[in-house]
Amino acid sequence: MLTSLNKLIMKRFNFTYYSFPRMAAFLAILILASCSAQQKESEENYLVVLSLDGFRWDYVDRAHTPNLDYLAKNGVKAERLVSSWPTTTFANHYTLATGLLPHKHGIVANRFYDPEFNEDYNSPENRASVWDGKFYGGEPIWVSAEKQGLTTASCFWVGSEADVQGIRPSYWKKYDHDMPYSDRIDTVVHWLNLPDEARPRLVMWYLDEPDSGGHRYGPTNDTLMNLVSGLDSLIGVFLNEIKALPHYAQINFIVVSDHGMMQLSTDKRVYLDEYVDTTLVAYSDGLFPTMNVKAKDGMQDSLAAQLARVPHIRFWKNGEAPAHLESGYHPRFHDFVLLVDDYYSMYWSVEQSRRRDARGVMMGAHGFDNANTDMHGIFFAMGPQFKSDYIRPPFRNLHVYSIMAHVLGIQPAETDGSLKEVEDVFQQIETK
């Protein structure tokens, strides 16, 4: 008796039941080819990476997060993900993507002036700069994957809008802060629902919370915990969507954050103009807790002497940061880097702080020394390649690129991270 598959093939090529003996060999070849294609697809692994901006490592201990708990029970949870310094959004998202320290990949702040290009990056007047690959060093994971023949997609990951090395993800979106989270989920699920030949093997996407809420309320506020629980429910929605996919068993899902959040005190503020003659300053990037400052020509020594008088800050010349920060020289750091003490805010003037407060008093911040665990984030991973119910000791976010490259089965670029440092998160692994 002919199988339904045989009948389908015969109908497609106008074969008849009675001609089957003559076509047996041909049909066998087609069937074997079909089985081979199915086998190939069954061996493909997919990787979805979600970033929750500013999700501090201990939020899951204080909020109702059943879906993150589910990921931990059925996968891997790191006790903490140690952010790189400066502990800011753009710097760490691009470190996650490249495995490089910020002073090597060059995204040293959310906004900065580049003296080589004589151009601002990510300023309100120059939003198009984020699409320009010249600002981005290193090789982000989507570039590594695309180079090696894999289709990738990104919904708002830092750097994915730019033509880094002349390459973008096959599918990408320009950042739209107002795009509803439900639409972002739908976008990712749509990509994962594409036909085999068009479906991305790597999908990266981003939510801007709980960072915004952490700034507004502070990380110790109960209102923020309600927001965290709401984000967890969105993860549940996404999990339900991808569980309905026929290839769900092949999907590896990672949830990370770029940094944590520190509680601020309104009575712990430093006003630099009370100690520093601001006419010595050519320009500066950033606000608190860290600033990169350029002195006017010939004024470096005078400015350094005055900065030394400012209480509750540390500062150093470009390339001379404390060893544990691993912050080498980069021209985008300018002449001096300033870092305020934990729990403090730093402004150029009282008036500047008042203008900032008029937009809403900021009760939480990041960018502080990454030795403080308040700056650390999360790492959860679940899927066919990861262990189950495994609690991983803290590890540095430099290694996430290596994890992603291994899941995708691609040759990694040179990074500051190492797969050997985190190979215990996998079911089984062979490393050279």
Side-chain angles (χ1 to χ4, degrees):
M1 181 180 292
L2 294 175
T3 66
S4 58
L5 176 60
N6 289 340
K7 290 179 179 178
L8 179 62
I9 295 172
M10 291 170 66
K11 182 177 180 181
R12 172 66 180 84
F13 291 98
N14 295 318
F15 297 153
T16 66
Y17 176 82
Y18 299 102
S19 67
F20 180 73
R22 299 179 56 190
M23 295 297 166
F26 180 73
L27 287 172
I29 291 172
L30 288 178
I31 293 167
L32 288 172
S34 174
C35 291
S36 176
Q38 291 175 5
Q39 179 66 20
K40 181 180 179 182
E41 181 183 352
S42 70
E43 292 175 353
E44 287 185 345
N45 276 297
Y46 297 86
L47 175 60
V48 178
V49 185
L50 167 63
S51 169
L52 301 175
D53 196 331
F55 198 116
R56 202 168 86 174
W57 66 276
D58 60 346
Y59 287 171
V60 292
D61 298 326
R62 298 165 42 212
H64 181 60
T65 56
N67 294 293
L68 286 173
D69 294 343
Y70 173 83
L71 292 180
K73 182 65 177 177
N74 294 275
V76 176
K77 172 189 175 183
E79 292 176 354
R80 299 190 307 277
L81 187 64
V82 181
S83 305
S84 298
W85 193 86
T87 51
T88 53
T89 297
F90 276 55
N92 277 273
H93 271 99
Y94 204 58
T95 288
L96 287 162
T98 62
L100 294 174
L101 290 160
H103 80 271
K104 293 186 179 179
H105 62 57
I107 305 301
V108 300
N110 292 354
R111 296 176 182 173
F112 54 79
Y113 170 73
D114 184 286
E116 177 185 357
F117 305 138
N118 188 29
E119 191 175 345
D120 289 322
Y121 170 82
N122 194 32
S123 66
E125 299 78 21
N126 192 22
R127 170 61 184 162
S129 59
V130 302
W131 311 328
D132 192 335
K134 72 184 179 186
F135 287 100
Y136 301 86
E139 183 173 293
I141 187 67
W142 55 85
V143 171
S144 300
E146 293 277 349
K147 279 183 174 181
Q148 297 176 55
L150 273 61
T151 301
T152 68
S154 174
C155 183
F156 305 158
W157 199 281
V158 171
S160 64
E161 300 172 70
D163 55 337
V164 181
Q165 301 182 23
I167 298 172
R168 288 185 173 93
S170 297
Y171 310 100
W172 61 280
K173 289 184 172 292
K174 289 184 178 180
Y175 184 69
D176 178 4
H177 182 79
D178 296 325
M179 182 179 184
Y181 289 175
S182 58
D183 289 358
R184 303 185 198 193
I185 292 174
D186 290 345
T187 296
V188 174
V189 173
H190 167 72
W191 285 333
L192 293 171
N193 256 316
L194 290 173
D196 296 345
E197 63 275 11
R199 187 184 305 147
R201 290 272 305 282
L202 169 67
V203 180
M204 304 178 76
W205 55 304
Y206 165 84
L207 302 181
D208 53 283
E209 292 287 9
D211 181 76
S212 297
H215 286 302
R216 185 182 311 115
Y217 304 116
T220 62
N221 192 296
D222 289 341
T223 300
L224 183 65
M225 295 303 100
N226 293 332
L227 190 154
V228 167
S229 295
L231 290 169
D232 182 84
S233 69
L234 291 176
I235 293 174
V237 171
F238 177 70
L239 285 172
N240 286 334
E241 292 281 351
I242 63 173
K243 283 179 179 178
L245 299 174
H247 51 285
Y248 168 68
Q250 299 158 242
I251 297 175
N252 296 276
F253 182 34
I254 294 176
V255 181
V256 296
S257 61
D258 47 351
H259 53 69
M261 189 70 63
M262 185 176 290
Q263 188 72 34
L264 298 177
S265 174
T266 55
D267 61 357
K268 292 183 176 180
R269 297 189 176 188
V270 175
Y271 305 109
L272 295 172
D273 68 350
E274 294 180 355
Y275 308 91
V276 174
D277 179 359
T278 57
T279 64
L280 303 178
V281 177
Y283 52 82
S284 66
D285 294 333
L287 193 54
F288 69 87
T290 184
M291 292 185 190
N292 304 319
V293 179
K294 174 69 176 177
K296 290 182 177 177
D297 291 344
M299 296 292 104
Q300 286 84 356
D301 290 344
S302 298
L303 182 56
Q306 294 187 15
L307 287 171
R309 303 184 309 183
V310 182
H312 303 298
I313 74 162
R314 288 177 284 167
F315 79 97
W316 50 86
K317 292 181 180 178
N318 191 343
E320 298 180 3
H324 76 276
L325 295 179
E326 296 184 297
S327 177
Y329 176 84
H330 197 288
R332 294 171 184 169
F333 282 126
H334 309 318
D335 290 327
F336 301 104
V337 179
L338 281 59
L339 178 61
V340 74
D341 287 350
D342 291 348
Y343 313 109
Y344 276 79
S345 306
M346 174 172 57
Y347 298 92
W348 278 111
S349 65
V350 172
E351 179 57 31
Q352 184 187 37
S353 72
R354 287 173 178 166
R355 290 197 301 270
R356 178 63 191 81
D357 288 348
R359 304 197 302 269
V361 177
M362 191 175 290
M363 297 307 300
H366 51 88
F368 293 96
D369 193 322
N370 64 347
N372 190 315
T373 58
D374 285 1
M375 292 295 98
H376 297 178
I378 58 170
F379 177 92
F380 293 82
M382 185 183 74
Q385 291 186 262
F386 292 101
K387 287 180 177 176
S388 180
D389 197 15
Y390 181 61
I391 304 298
R392 177 58 165 80
F395 69 91
R396 302 172 64 190
N397 66 359
L398 294 171
H399 305 309
V400 172
Y401 172 97
S402 300
I403 291 173
M404 294 189 291
H406 177 76
V407 171
L408 294 170
I410 61 174
Q411 181 64 35
E414 184 175 346
T415 72
D416 294 317
S418 169
L419 182 61
K420 282 193 173 294
E421 292 291 329
V422 287
E423 64 184 6
D424 58 301
V425 302
F426 296 107
Q427 293 275 13
Q428 54 186 349
I429 185 171
E430 293 181 5
T431 58
K432 297 181 179 179

